[in-house]
Amino acid sequence: MNTKHAHLTPTEHIPFDTLRTTLAHIFERHGTSAAVAAVLADNCASAERDGAHSHGVFRIPGYLSTLASGWVDGHAIPRVQDMAPGFLSVDACNGFAQPAYMMAYDALVAKARANGIALLAIHNSHHFAALWPDVEPLARDGLVALALVNSMACVVPSGGTKALFGTNPIAFAAPRAGHDPLVFDLATSAMAHGDVQIAAREGRPLPEGFGVDCNGQPTTDPRAVLDGGALLPFGGLHSSYKGSALSMMVELLAAALTGGHFSFEFDWRGHSGAQTPHTGELIIAIDPAKSQGRGFAQRCEDLVRAMAGAGQQRLPGERRYRQRAQSLREGVALPAATWAELQRLAQA
Ligand SMILES: NC(=O)C1=CN([C@@H]2O[C@H](COP(=O)(O)OP(=O)(O)OC[C@H]3O[C@@H](n4cnc5c(N)ncnc54)[C@H](OP(=O)(O)O)[C@@H]3O)[C@@H](O)[C@H]2O)C=CC1
Ligand SMILES: O=C(O)C1=NCCCC1
């Protein structure tokens, strides 16, 4: 949202269902089917609820300008194809990735349980969201899950000078006995592009070693990164080859394997306002019940205990679950100006 002065206004606490319904109205009134609106609204409201601000309501203007530009089809009806016993392919038909995923979700779970492992390869799709909502439900269904999605060329490969990779996140989830699933979700760039946009809006510098300007020179100015500059892969100045290798892997698995575009391949010039990357996504689901040994859930607890014993202060995903519980208890905290703008858009 354009919340430039939102921090000056009071905070409102909005019940999660009210936020989700309002977002669904916004999507539907701005160019999606009711079915697509429901999926995107749930995703976006869930991100805001969990404190994943770079992919919560902050993204609404980007979704709307993209829909208005004609770059994405908000009414697309995805086509699911059964490629092999463990391989499903979905053509999102130039629509959003999440409705395509929802259409194939049950088949993916059934295949993973039957075969031990199954892949869902989505192409011709747009992903503008956090990735953990694509893996957490699989872990709640008892499966180990990995998701990868590529975005748009805004990351310089290690040692290079030109933006080529996307910010290319990887999300992982594993079921735990008696606990929320173990989940991590991280961009393979030094920072998510959304966080660079938020830093620019709030006038905050980036940490050293995260970005370069349009001349390839190191900069901490988020605007210089956004205006022709680029991010570096994660890993810091001396180990960015590690983030770069992971980013390369995401390009291959999310784009080459699915039939989607690489982050540098699609051309959205001519669609003024378009912000959603037109790429691909790969989701891998593994049934741990098929594995050897003392049982995956038990081994997971062994590892978590050992990590705590070694001094790890918190698990990935833990902050998010804490924020989720608080938001469900007290309502999702939003600047009053942002909530007023969302309500206006829902009527517009
Ligand atoms: N659709 C797209 O194309 C793209 C989407 N994104 C999204 O942007 C979001 C933000 O990514 P990013 O900035 O890399 O995420 P963060 O760096 O904020 O967090 C990455 C992961 O590390 C965990 N974590 C953070 N701090 C700690 C800590 N001190 N100890 C243990 N674990 C920790 C987080 O858990 P916790 O959540 O609990 O803090 C999270 O699982 C993601 O949801 C990603 O999917 C990014 C790039 C492209
Ligand atoms: O934050 C990011 O990085 C991105 N998020 C949504 C899609 C484009 C990249």
Side-chain angles (χ1 to χ4, degrees):
M1 300 298 298
N2 183 5
T3 52
K4 195 166 182 340
H5 301 294
H7 58 289
L8 300 176
T9 73
T11 299
E12 295 218 25
H13 290 85
I14 316 302
F16 176 68
D17 284 342
T18 307
L19 177 60
R20 184 167 51 184
T21 306
T22 303
L23 297 186
H25 285 144
I26 294 175
F27 283 117
E28 209 178 335
R29 282 173 186 270
H30 291 82
T32 77
S33 65
V36 169
V39 173
L40 295 183
D42 184 60
N43 176 293
C44 190
S46 299
E48 195 64 38
R49 174 199 66 197
D50 283 16
H53 300 298
S54 62
H55 291 80
V57 301
F58 164 71
R59 291 282 166 184
I60 292 293
Y63 274 114
L64 301 195
S65 66
T66 303
L67 283 161
S69 76
W71 171 243
V72 64
D73 182 357
H75 292 262
I77 302 190
R79 284 197 292 265
V80 183
Q81 241 187 305
D82 199 332
M83 310 298 286
F87 203 130
L88 286 162
S89 170
V90 190
D91 180 350
C93 297
N94 196 34
F96 292 101
Q98 291 85 356
Y101 179 25
M102 287 300 102
M103 186 166 279
Y105 184 88
D106 289 345
L108 175 67
V109 170
K111 275 185 178 292
R113 290 198 178 125
N115 297 304
I117 183 165
L119 310 186
L120 176 62
I122 304 172
H123 70 285
N124 201 5
S125 55
H126 298 249
H127 201 297
F128 201 49
L131 202 52
W132 58 263
D134 298 0
V135 291
E136 189 184 320
L138 288 167
R140 291 195 185 278
D141 281 335
L143 302 171
V144 179
L146 198 60
L148 311 102
V149 66
N150 60 320
S151 63
M152 69 283 184
C154 61
V155 179
V156 180
S158 179
T161 54
K162 197 173 140 203
L164 175 79
F165 293 143
T167 40
N168 298 2
I170 300 175
F172 170 84
R176 293 182 65 189
H179 296 275
D180 285 319
L182 195 52
V183 176
F184 75 73
D185 172 17
L186 46 87
T188 51
S189 48
M191 198 175 197
H193 193 261
D195 281 325
V196 181
Q197 291 174 296
I198 290 174
R201 189 184 68 187
E202 296 177 353
R204 282 187 285 108
L206 305 180
E208 300 271 354
F210 275 34
V212 291
D213 64 18
C214 59
N215 300 312
Q217 295 304 310
T219 183
T220 58
D221 179 357
R223 290 198 184 282
V225 170
L226 296 173
D227 298 339
L231 283 161
L232 299 181
F234 89 81
L237 281 180
H238 300 294
S239 296
S240 69
Y241 61 88
K242 297 186 183 186
S244 194
L246 288 172
S247 201
M248 173 187 76
M249 177 189 76
V250 174
E251 294 287 343
L252 287 172
L253 293 179
L257 196 73
T258 64
H261 293 125
F262 288 131
S263 297
F264 63 86
E265 278 183 333
F266 61 86
D267 185 357
W268 48 19
R269 285 170 304 179
H271 289 86
S272 175
Q275 292 189 30
T276 59
H278 186 183
T279 55
E281 176 177 9
L282 185 74
I283 298 148
I284 305 172
I286 303 166
D287 184 0
K290 302 284 190 292
S291 66
Q292 297 271 12
R294 283 203 293 126
F296 183 84
Q298 184 54 49
R299 297 298 285 149
C300 193
E301 293 320 299
D302 291 349
L303 181 62
V304 167
R305 241 190 330 273
M307 284 157 65
Q312 173 144 4
Q313 297 298 307
R314 74 157 171 102
L315 293 171
E318 216 171 285
R319 177 207 56 79
R320 227 168 29 71
Y321 289 137
R322 246 198 324 271
Q323 181 60 55
R324 180 182 303 179
Q326 185 179 338
S327 296
L328 292 176
R329 226 176 23 246
E330 300 171 4
V332 182
L334 284 178
T338 302
W339 177 233
E341 175 64 2
L342 291 174
Q343 287 176 296
R344 189 190 67 75
L345 287 170
Q347 310 291 333

